[in-house]
Amino acid sequence: MAKIGIPRTLAYFNYYPFWKIFFDELGHEVVLSTPTTKGILDDGVKVAVNDACIPIKVYHGHVVELANKVDYLFCPRLVSLRKFGDFGTETFCPKFLGLPEMIRYGIENVPEIIDVRVNLGSAKKQIDKVCYEVGQILGNLPNQILQASKKASVIQKKYEELLHQEFLPEQALDKVFTNKKKAKKIDKKDKFEPELKIAVVGYPYAIYDNYINVGLLNILKNENVKILTQDMVNDSDMNKQIRTLPKSMFWYYSNRVIYGTLHFIHRGDIDGIIHVTAFACGPDSMVDRLLEIEARKRSSIPYMSVMIDEHSAEAGVRTRVEAFLDMIRYRRDKN
């Protein structure tokens, strides 16, 4: 049995259930890094290249935390998940594609890296090929790999259904991996009458990591706000927005943010939109401006962007969010 390290950031928020079950079924132990802390961020800043965006620096910090605890680091080369966009050219951003090399040559004493190429848009059943390559590295038999892949797909589907029922990822993970008693407590806690509904859009590793967004979601929850994110929108509803723009972006996460935001603009019950963007993110320099233009052109829904970096402070974000909510309440009461 091998210990497999998975950093709790980047694609973790989308695909952790699949890989957790896959490795468990193969008889290996998954070691997950802790939620992001100041120590993790500081370690990441020390070893990452200077011009990396904060999510990449955070990823480096999570790897440093796992380095001496595991036999393998699971760091797949994420190329594409679907054939999408003009000429089927949608990919992950270049830093995702080069992440295994950045880790291998940037961090000392890093364990062996499982850096299989994930290019699911290139042909059918590519996920089976990816799973087979991973299982071979770990010494598992083909029939074991096939069964593990099937069970992982079932759990991943259940997780995504929970997201579409408007559970946040940590709530959905609790329901997938914990007992029924705790799941009932999550259901009870989630039933409340919100004063406002706010769409929080952005890359999953920015909007769900409470440390690097300095507790944005908790600030909203304490203001009696129902939080909705693009991951709660199913593919069918998201794809309806594609024809409303002349062109799609090249990047997977950027397209999800854009089409998820357009869905919320037209949904009819959203009081405001907050876009969380990371300093030094190349794709976001276009995405943020596009969202601002489209929100203004298509609706009167208030829009605000919150940029995060390693120097972001909780007081600054809290002040902006509280002012944003006060403005929404003022408009509502005035009308």
Side-chain angles (χ1 to χ4, degrees):
M1 180 182 78
K3 290 186 177 180
I4 316 294
I6 297 182
R8 193 191 292 252
T9 183
L10 295 188
Y12 157 82
F13 298 101
N14 295 107
Y15 304 107
Y16 176 69
F18 182 92
W19 292 111
K20 161 71 174 166
I21 296 301
F22 179 73
F23 289 125
D24 282 353
E25 289 298 308
L26 292 182
H28 305 294
E29 179 185 355
V30 171
V31 180
L32 190 60
S33 58
T34 61
T36 305
T37 62
K38 184 178 185 302
I40 286 176
L41 176 58
D42 288 347
D43 286 340
V45 170
K46 287 176 188 174
V47 297
V49 294
N50 287 336
D51 62 347
C53 57
I54 185 171
I56 294 297
K57 292 175 179 174
V58 168
Y59 189 92
H60 280 67
H62 280 269
V63 172
V64 170
E65 190 199 73
L66 290 169
N68 295 319
K69 301 177 182 175
V70 299
D71 303 307
Y72 295 90
L73 177 72
F74 185 61
C75 178
R77 190 184 312 281
L78 294 176
V79 179
S80 78
L81 296 182
R82 58 183 180 175
K83 191 173 184 179
F84 183 83
D86 301 321
F87 311 110
T89 51
E90 183 188 75
T91 69
F92 283 81
C93 92
K95 286 169 184 168
F96 274 78
L97 273 64
L99 196 55
E101 280 73 29
M102 295 171 75
I103 296 299
R104 182 174 288 115
Y105 300 114
I107 300 177
E108 294 181 355
N109 301 320
V110 68
E112 183 175 342
I113 298 175
I114 300 176
D115 60 349
V116 292
R117 181 182 174 89
V118 179
N119 188 10
L120 305 188
S122 60
K124 292 182 178 179
K125 296 188 177 181
Q126 285 297 297
I127 187 63
D128 292 340
K129 181 182 175 186
V130 171
C131 289
Y132 183 70
E133 289 180 16
V134 174
Q136 271 200 319
I137 293 171
L138 298 171
N140 290 99
L141 299 172
N143 64 328
Q144 291 179 306
I145 297 168
L146 181 61
Q147 293 305 315
S149 175
K150 286 181 178 177
K151 186 160 185 180
S153 296
V154 171
I155 298 299
Q156 179 67 27
K157 186 178 179 182
K158 181 179 178 183
Y159 173 68
E160 291 174 0
E161 288 173 351
L162 288 167
L163 294 180
H164 296 160
Q165 292 170 29
E166 301 184 353
F167 287 98
L168 289 166
E170 289 302 315
Q171 294 173 319
L173 287 171
D174 281 341
K175 289 177 73 68
V176 167
F177 291 118
T178 56
N179 58 47
K180 292 182 179 178
K181 189 175 180 181
K182 188 170 182 179
K184 286 182 179 177
K185 286 183 179 178
I186 295 169
D187 288 338
K188 188 176 180 181
K189 187 178 178 183
D190 196 59
K191 289 179 181 176
F192 69 103
E193 289 297 325
E195 180 191 4
L196 299 170
K197 290 184 178 179
I198 301 294
V200 180
V201 295
Y203 303 139
Y205 41 88
I207 61 178
Y208 302 131
D209 188 321
N210 282 330
Y211 185 81
I212 64 171
N213 68 31
V214 291
L216 171 63
L217 300 192
N218 288 333
I219 293 171
L220 290 170
K221 288 176 186 173
N222 291 336
E223 291 284 340
N224 197 23
V225 168
K226 170 74 175 177
I227 299 163
L228 297 141
T229 73
Q230 75 276 345
D231 298 307
M232 298 173 180
V233 183
N234 61 49
D235 289 345
S236 174
D237 286 339
M238 201 173 284
N239 290 342
K240 290 176 183 174
Q241 303 302 325
I242 295 173
R243 66 177 71 94
T244 68
L245 286 178
K247 192 175 177 63
S248 297
M249 288 284 183
F250 291 112
W251 307 286
Y252 172 72
Y253 278 134
S254 298
N255 282 327
R256 287 185 58 79
V257 170
I258 291 169
Y259 295 126
T261 303
L262 296 184
H263 168 80
F264 287 129
I265 287 174
H266 295 290
R267 182 167 140 154
D269 64 344
I270 300 300
D271 297 296
I273 298 170
I274 297 176
H275 178 216
V276 182
T277 176
F279 178 73
C281 174
D284 256 2
S285 62
M286 289 172 274
V287 171
D288 188 55
R289 184 61 178 149
L290 176 64
L291 295 184
E292 183 180 357
I293 292 171
E294 292 298 325
R296 188 179 301 172
K297 188 168 67 177
R298 300 180 187 222
S299 72
S300 59
I301 299 174
Y303 172 88
M304 178 176 76
S305 66
V306 174
M307 181 172 286
I308 55 172
D309 65 14
E310 53 264 52
H311 305 296
S312 294
E314 192 265 353
V317 172
R318 176 181 292 280
T319 300
R320 291 195 63 205
V321 170
E322 289 178 349
F324 184 68
L325 298 178
D326 285 346
M327 179 269 294
I328 292 172
R329 292 181 180 115
Y330 174 78
R331 280 181 25 146
R332 178 194 61 193
D333 296 342
K334 188 178 178 183
N335 294 327

